[in-house]
């Protein structure tokens, strides 16, 4: 029985994936945490913009479509908690039971949406439409951003 082109491609892809799984690739991306260069002060919008410019967001999109490197929830939260620490604290104090990873992903998606739509970072300057669509608690689709 002859192997189809699709079957050959699938076996090559499986072989490549096995080789990748044996390695531990690490990428170092330096991010500027704030414009004032002061310690322990993270500007989430600035960080998200740098992640987008560095191609991290696009890499996430590609990996979600194909063969992603998957973190379990606790690893993801541990690694990216600084991007949504306020929202995670609110979620932990809320009467609703919200998983930390859900709060973190929602916070990151919301910040990306705000950057994409040039929403002001301060609520006082936001228009009624911006307030309604970005701070009403609506969930933002991370892949649509």
């Amino acid at each position: 029985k002859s192997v189809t082109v699709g079957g050959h491609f699938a076996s090559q892809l499986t072989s490549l994936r096995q080789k990748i799984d044996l390695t531990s690739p690490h990428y170092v991306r330096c991010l500027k945490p704030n414009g004032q260069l002061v310690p322990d002060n993270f500007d989430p919008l600035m960080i998200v913009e740098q992640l987008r410019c560095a191609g991290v967001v696009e890499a996430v999109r590609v990996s979600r479509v194909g063969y992603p490197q998957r973190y379990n929830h606790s690893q993801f939260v541990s690694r990216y908690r600084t991007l949504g620490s306020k929202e995670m604290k609110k979620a932990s104090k809320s009467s609703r039971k919200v998983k930390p990873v859900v709060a973190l992903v929602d916070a990151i998606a919301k910040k990306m949406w705000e950057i994409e739509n040039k929403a002001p970072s301060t609520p006082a300057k936001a228009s009624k439409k911006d307030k309604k669509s970005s701070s009403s608690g609506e969930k933002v689709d991370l892949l649509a951003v």
Side-chain angles (χ1 to χ4, degrees):
K1 181 178 175 183
S2 63
V3 179
T4 65
V5 172
H8 185 65
F9 176 73
S11 66
Q12 285 181 321
L13 199 54
T14 302
S15 173
L16 176 62
R17 188 71 231 175
Q18 289 170 347
K19 287 178 186 175
I20 290 172
D21 288 342
L22 292 174
T23 64
S24 297
H26 290 36
Y27 301 95
V28 175
R29 297 208 189 272
C30 297
L31 300 175
K32 191 174 177 183
N34 60 63
Q36 299 80 29
L37 300 176
V38 294
D40 296 326
N41 179 13
F42 295 95
D43 180 356
L45 295 177
M46 185 175 183
I47 292 170
V48 169
E49 185 63 26
Q50 291 175 73
L51 290 171
R52 176 178 282 116
C53 290
V56 174
V57 174
E58 192 60 31
V60 168
R61 284 186 180 131
V62 168
S63 69
R64 291 215 29 211
V65 171
Y67 288 92
Q69 173 182 354
R70 297 197 186 270
Y71 294 108
N72 65 38
H73 289 178
S74 61
Q75 288 174 320
F76 181 83
V77 169
S78 171
R79 187 171 186 149
Y80 298 107
R81 84 172 344 111
T82 58
L83 298 177
S85 56
K86 284 187 224 171
E87 291 82 354
M88 288 175 58
K89 284 179 187 174
K90 284 183 198 172
S92 70
K93 293 177 183 177
S94 171
S95 60
R96 274 187 340 147
K97 192 79 171 170
V98 179
K99 292 182 180 180
V101 72
V102 172
L104 178 58
V105 169
D106 288 346
I108 293 170
K110 181 179 172 187
K111 288 171 187 169
M112 290 174 61
W113 182 89
E114 288 170 351
I115 289 171
E116 190 72 28
N117 293 288
K118 307 276 190 261
S121 59
T122 56
K125 294 181 182 177
S127 70
K128 286 183 183 178
K129 182 182 177 196
D130 287 339
K131 284 181 184 177
K132 189 174 184 181
S133 60
S134 67
S135 63
S136 65
E138 287 181 27
K139 295 192 184 235
V140 179
D141 182 8
L142 187 60
L143 291 180
V145 174

